[in-house]
Amino acid sequence: MENRNLQDAKRIVVKVGTSSLIRANGKINLQAIDELCYTLSGLVNEDKEVILVSSGAVGVGLANMGLVQRPKQIPEQQALAAIGQSQLMTIYQQRFAMYSQKTSQILLTHDVLTYPESRENVLNTFNELLKWKVIPVVNENDTVAVDEMDHQTSFGDNDWLSAVVASGIDADLLIVLSDIDGLFDKNPKKYADANLIPEVTEINEKITGAAGGTGSRFGTGGMATKIKAMDRMINEGRKAVLANGKRPSIIFEILNGKQIGTLFHKK
C-alpha cells in the first residue's frame, strides 16, 4: 500500500462535481460550497497552490430558472450555463471573501489548450495567479463549447478538464470530489456487497469494467469519465484521489494520509 501522506503536494487541483454543489432537490448546496471555500482558503494559508475546477453552471442555472429537468437542446443548455456561471462565481466570491481569499475565473475551451500560443498564454496566467496566491476557479466555457467537424472546443466533461489542467500546470495532485466514496468493484448504488478499491496503480479492463454508469441528472460525468482522467494522471506519474464531496473538508484528511476514497498513482 502506497504511503498515503500527501502533505508534500504543493500544487493541487481540486475538481468538484455538480452533485456536490446542488442538492438532490435542485437547490444550491450553500453549506458544501462554504466548507469548500473554507478548506481551499486554508490550503492557500499553508502555502499550497490551489486550482478549483468547478462544475455546476448548468445546475445552478436550472435552480435559478426553477427548472427540474436538464433540457436536451444545446442552445437551452448553453443559455442555462450562461445564467448559472455568473451566479456560481458570485457565490464563490462571496464565500471566499469571508476567508479573505482572492479568486479569479478562467473559462476554457479545448482548443485553447491545444494551440501552442494560446496554451502558453493561459498557462502563464495560471502561474501568475498562483504566484499571487489567488485561486483560479476553472470551468469549461459551456456557452461556446460545441464540437463541429475538426474544430474541437469541448472537453466533454470536467473530469477530463481537471486532468488536462493538472497536466498543463504540472500539478502534484488532483483531488476529484464526487457523489461516491471512491472507485468500487461494482456499483454500490445497486449492490450492497460492493467493495471500495483503496488504491489503483494501473487502469486495466477490470478497473474500466467496475466504472460503468453515468452521473446525476444535474451533471454529465459518470465514473467512466473519472477513470479516463485518472488514467492520464497515472501515466504522467501524478497522484490523484477520488473521494466523496459531501463534506469538502475531508481534503485536509486526505492530505494528512487518512485512507479516504481511492488513491491513483504509478507503481
Side-chain angles (χ1 to χ4, degrees):
M1 177 71 70
E2 170 78 3
N3 178 5
R4 276 286 187 122
N5 192 342
L6 299 169
Q7 272 295 352
D8 288 343
K10 166 79 172 165
R11 187 167 278 197
I12 303 166
V13 176
V14 175
K15 185 265 174 176
V16 61
T18 302
S19 58
S20 303
L21 304 174
I22 306 291
R23 295 186 182 277
N25 64 3
K27 303 289 186 189
I28 299 166
N29 190 340
L30 294 173
Q31 183 182 349
I33 292 174
D34 185 56
E35 191 173 319
L36 177 69
C37 296
Y38 162 79
T39 302
L40 300 189
S41 302
L43 295 183
V44 175
N45 288 343
E46 293 175 15
D47 287 328
K48 307 285 189 194
E49 297 177 333
V50 179
I51 297 93
L52 172 61
V53 176
S54 175
S55 299
V58 174
V60 173
L62 282 167
N64 185 279
M65 297 299 288
L67 299 173
V68 179
Q69 284 298 329
R70 185 188 183 98
K72 291 186 169 59
Q73 301 301 319
I74 298 266
E76 292 176 331
Q77 290 179 18
Q78 292 182 313
L80 285 172
I83 294 164
Q85 183 64 32
S86 59
Q87 189 181 0
L88 187 59
M89 278 308 300
T90 300
I91 294 167
Y92 275 134
Q93 284 174 324
Q94 289 171 344
R95 291 304 190 276
F96 273 117
M98 287 170 60
Y99 306 106
S100 304
Q101 176 58 52
K102 291 182 172 61
T103 57
S104 59
Q105 175 178 254
I106 297 182
L107 296 177
L108 294 172
T109 50
H110 195 285
D111 50 355
V112 168
L113 287 172
T114 303
Y115 297 119
E117 193 174 337
S118 58
R119 176 186 171 84
E120 185 182 356
N121 287 338
V122 78
L123 295 181
N124 286 343
T125 302
F126 271 115
N127 286 320
E128 206 61 41
L129 289 167
L130 294 175
K131 197 161 73 179
W132 291 347
K133 298 188 177 297
V134 175
I135 294 179
V137 181
V138 184
N139 197 0
E140 182 163 18
N141 195 349
D142 290 321
T143 56
V144 299
V146 178
D147 291 341
E148 292 177 351
M149 297 190 295
D150 62 345
H151 184 55
Q152 187 179 11
T153 62
S154 160
F155 290 94
D157 61 84
N158 274 358
D159 297 316
W160 183 244
L161 170 60
S162 67
V164 172
V165 168
S167 173
I169 63 159
D170 195 23
D172 306 305
L173 175 66
L174 168 64
I175 299 175
V176 174
L177 298 179
S178 182
D179 60 350
I180 195 165
D181 293 338
L183 178 66
F184 286 76
D185 55 3
K186 51 186 152 181
N187 189 341
K189 291 174 182 175
K190 287 184 182 175
Y191 303 99
D193 61 344
N195 295 305
L196 179 72
I197 303 171
E199 185 180 15
V200 173
T201 55
E202 68 167 331
I203 305 299
N204 51 33
E205 282 186 22
K206 185 180 175 186
I207 296 298
T208 52
T214 53
S216 71
R217 67 191 169 108
F218 299 109
T220 55
M223 191 57 74
T225 67
K226 291 167 180 54
I227 293 305
K228 181 186 171 193
M230 298 305 178
D231 191 32
R232 177 166 184 155
M233 293 294 95
I234 291 173
N235 289 333
E236 292 182 356
R238 305 181 201 283
K239 291 183 177 178
V241 174
L242 173 62
N244 198 314
K246 187 167 58 180
R247 196 170 54 81
S249 59
I250 61 159
I251 290 172
F252 290 131
E253 296 167 40
I254 289 168
L255 293 178
N256 285 330
K258 196 166 178 185
Q259 191 171 306
I260 291 171
T262 303
L263 172 67
F264 297 80
H265 67 101
K266 197 171 246 182
K267 203 162 189 177

